[in-house]
């Protein structure tokens, strides 16, 4: 696995195309969510509202809901998908959440985040602003190959940066933060080379070892409390060891009411932002942490009721039959989650870098391809999406 590289000054955003199946002519696109029109739309709506209408579940559906797992194939003929996964319980606290930048990320909070242990603290905020503005300008301009690197950001144009020679800390856009302890980072980077190893850590292994990953997560959360982050969900964890030192390399996302934020796609598009964080954490503390589009305050919550996974299976049958999902059944999707999906701007300026003043999260049922198969290309010749997302309230397809 390649080591994670954390960018301190430039906005780190991958810009690609979040593609959707085009209408045939019975599909329409809005806010990154595809929804069927006419008869198809009514069918999906009826399935999504089935419980509310008091329709009787079959014995198989009751067994599925009780068992908390599903193994089977959805769809018929040449267009079908295979699923073998544990199914999470549907919580009663789902909401549509409107996020705003956190204006509490000010200079006073940055001083606490820096946690200087001595030395003269230098304010280099103006230099950081200049670099960010120059990067935006360069990335929005065509290069000699006729290409640009446009992206969307959540937040404003603000930036603050402090350093004391041993540590650095900065806030970006009232939604991003970065911190590095140079002494600890030198120790972490010093173990690469002979005898170095990195081992992936699964959820069931989080509490294992003399310095468990669960403890490293607690250390990280203590650090993130300063920037208003109270809960995170781990995406990947690697235990890195060598030359008498060890640390955890962590990739994570924010969580609201215990539900992780994720996009139902394998790439980004202009208009889409993806809150993401990376950190190196040792027993001595946080060596480095980088948060992009991550820090926000919930300005509004609207309670909603989620459709069940049984209903999702029926909805998937409709999308497979309609051709809005194309899959040959080769891929076996092995993970199902309830996530919060950051709704993209459906019509961003195609000639400018976008700064979004708010971000809406909607709950989705999220069905994943096995990570190792995606990374290693085991399903390279298979037909089917990497992710499948279904709006957990309306049943609309969140296409990735």
């Amino acid at each position: 696995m390649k080591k994670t590289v954390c960018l301190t000054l430039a906005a780190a955003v991958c810009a690609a195309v979040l593609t959707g199946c085009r209408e045939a002519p019975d599909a329409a696109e809005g806010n990154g969510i595809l929804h069927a029109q006419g008869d198809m739309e009514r069918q999906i709506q009826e399935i999504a509202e089935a419980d509310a209408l008091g329709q009787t579940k079959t014995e198989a559906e009751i067994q599925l809901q009780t068992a908390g797992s599903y193994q089977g194939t959805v769809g018929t003929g040449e267009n079908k998908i295979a699923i073998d996964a544990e199914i999470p319980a549907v919580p009663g606290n789902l909401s549509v959440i409107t996020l705003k930048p956190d204006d509490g990320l000010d200079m006073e909070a940055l001083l606490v985040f820096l946690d200087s242990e001595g030395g003269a603290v230098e304010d280099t905020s103006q230099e950081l602003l200049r670099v960010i503005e120059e990067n935006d300008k360069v990335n929005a301009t065509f290069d000699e190959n006729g290409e640009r690197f446009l992206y969307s950001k959540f937040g404003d144009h603000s930036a603050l940066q402090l350093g004391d020679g041993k540590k650095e800390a900065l806030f970006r856009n009232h939604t991003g933060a970065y911190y590095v302890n140079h002494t600890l980072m030198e120790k972490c980077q010093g173990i690469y080379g002979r005898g170095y190893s990195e081992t992936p850590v699964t959820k069931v292994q989080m509490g294992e070892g003399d310095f468990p990953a669960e403890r490293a997560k607690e250390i990280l959360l203590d650090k993130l409390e300063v920037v208003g982050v109270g809960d995170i969900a781990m995406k990947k964890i690697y235990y890195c060891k060598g030359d008498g030192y060890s640390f955890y390399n962590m990739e994570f996302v924010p969580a609201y009411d215990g539900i992780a934020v994720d996009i139902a796609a394998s790439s980004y598009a202009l208009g889409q932002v993806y809150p993401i964080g990376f950190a190196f954490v040792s027993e001595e503390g946080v060596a480095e942490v980088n948060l992009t589009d991550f820090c926000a305050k919930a300005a509004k919550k609207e309670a909603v009721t989620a459709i069940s996974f049984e209903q999702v299976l029926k909805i998937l049958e409709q999308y497979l039959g309609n051709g809005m999902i194309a899959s040959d059944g080769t891929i076996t999707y092995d993970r199902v989650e309830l996530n919060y999906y950051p709704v993209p701007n459906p019509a961003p300026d195609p000639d400018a870098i976008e700064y979004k003043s708010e971000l809406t999260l909607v709950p989705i049922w999220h069905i994943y391809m096995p990570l190792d198969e995606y990374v290693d290309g085991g399903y390279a010749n298979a037909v089917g999406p990497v992710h499948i997302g279904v709006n957990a309230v309306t049943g609309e397809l969140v296409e990735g």
Side-chain angles (χ1 to χ4, degrees):
M1 175 187 170
K2 295 182 180 179
K3 298 187 288 294
T4 300
V5 177
C6 295
L7 305 179
T8 63
L9 299 180
V13 181
C14 297
V17 178
L18 187 62
T19 58
C21 302
R22 294 304 170 195
E23 44 265 65
D26 53 354
E29 185 174 0
N31 292 331
I33 298 175
L34 297 178
H35 66 279
Q37 294 177 330
D39 291 341
M40 180 69 171
E41 184 178 44
R42 285 191 293 273
Q43 290 170 5
I44 298 302
Q45 185 176 359
E46 288 174 1
I47 294 171
E49 294 177 350
D51 284 352
L53 295 174
Q55 294 183 5
T56 303
K57 294 179 182 295
T58 66
E59 184 177 344
E61 289 171 335
I62 294 172
Q63 191 174 27
L64 168 61
Q65 189 172 17
T66 304
S69 63
Y70 178 80
Q71 183 178 14
T73 300
V74 184
T76 57
E78 297 181 354
N79 210 22
K80 55 191 175 183
I81 60 173
I83 301 173
D84 185 359
E86 296 297 315
I87 310 302
V90 178
N93 59 344
L94 286 176
S95 303
V96 172
I97 304 174
T98 301
L99 301 177
K100 295 281 191 179
D102 187 354
D103 52 14
L105 298 182
D106 54 18
M107 186 60 77
E108 183 178 353
L110 186 59
L111 276 168
V112 178
F113 193 50
L114 177 67
D115 189 27
S116 178
E117 298 174 6
V121 175
E122 183 180 6
D123 182 350
T124 54
S125 303
Q126 292 304 311
E127 174 62 15
L128 174 59
L129 278 168
R130 186 194 65 78
V131 171
I132 292 174
E133 290 172 0
E134 181 62 25
N135 285 340
D136 283 356
K137 180 179 178 181
V138 170
N139 290 332
T141 304
F142 287 103
D143 61 20
E144 62 274 12
N145 298 316
E147 298 178 349
R148 296 183 295 181
F149 182 51
L150 299 179
Y151 41 78
S152 297
K153 297 290 296 176
F154 172 36
D156 53 33
H157 291 79
S158 66
L160 298 171
Q161 181 172 253
L162 297 174
D164 65 0
K166 296 180 180 179
K167 300 177 180 179
E168 294 176 34
L170 64 85
F171 292 154
R172 298 180 298 258
N173 316 124
H174 283 116
T175 60
Y178 175 80
Y179 166 86
V180 60
N181 180 320
H182 291 294
T183 301
L184 293 186
M185 271 304 292
E186 287 175 5
K187 291 182 179 181
C188 291
Q189 293 172 339
I191 72 172
Y192 296 119
R194 184 181 231 173
Y196 169 77
S197 65
E198 57 181 30
T199 307
V201 179
T202 65
K203 287 184 179 180
V204 297
Q205 297 171 324
M206 288 286 289
E208 298 178 1
D210 295 333
F211 175 45
E214 195 61 56
R215 174 56 188 151
K217 181 180 176 181
E218 291 173 358
I219 293 172
L220 177 59
L221 281 171
D222 285 343
K223 186 67 178 176
L224 298 185
E225 184 179 5
V226 177
V227 294
V229 175
D231 193 10
I232 57 176
M234 291 295 170
K235 298 289 289 181
K236 302 174 192 174
I237 304 177
Y238 287 86
Y239 179 61
C240 305
K241 184 178 181 180
D243 197 23
Y245 201 73
S246 64
F247 65 91
Y248 286 97
N249 182 351
M250 298 176 159
E251 178 181 334
F252 53 96
V253 294
Y256 294 88
D257 300 321
I259 301 171
V261 175
D262 205 349
I263 62 172
S266 56
S267 58
Y268 307 101
L270 184 61
Q272 176 78 68
V273 301
Y274 181 23
I276 189 73
F278 302 93
F280 288 170
V281 183
S282 74
E283 288 188 84
E284 296 181 86
V286 175
E288 183 179 57
V289 60
N290 191 21
L291 308 176
T292 301
D293 298 323
F294 201 104
C295 310
K297 57 185 178 181
K300 180 181 178 182
K301 283 188 175 183
E302 179 184 352
V304 292
T305 301
I307 60 177
S308 67
F309 191 71
E310 305 97 284
Q311 291 166 295
V312 171
L313 294 175
K314 294 178 180 178
I315 288 170
L316 290 177
E317 287 182 353
Q318 298 295 322
Y319 289 137
L320 286 161
N322 181 264
M324 292 178 68
I325 296 178
S327 174
D328 62 5
T330 303
I331 299 170
T332 298
Y333 296 87
D334 71 343
R335 184 158 55 99
V336 174
E337 293 183 1
L338 266 171
N339 291 144
Y340 274 123
Y341 170 71
V343 178
N345 180 355
D349 187 338
D351 297 314
I353 291 169
E354 176 191 27
Y355 282 79
K356 297 167 65 75
S357 60
E358 66 179 33
L359 187 63
T360 300
L361 304 178
V362 299
I364 65 168
W365 281 101
H366 199 164
I367 305 169
Y368 296 81
M369 175 193 290
L371 179 62
D372 56 348
E373 298 288 354
Y374 173 59
V375 173
D376 298 335
Y379 285 137
N381 297 319
V383 175
V386 174
H387 303 250
I388 301 171
V390 175
N391 187 302
V393 180
T394 65
E396 293 171 319
L397 186 64
V398 179
E399 188 67 23

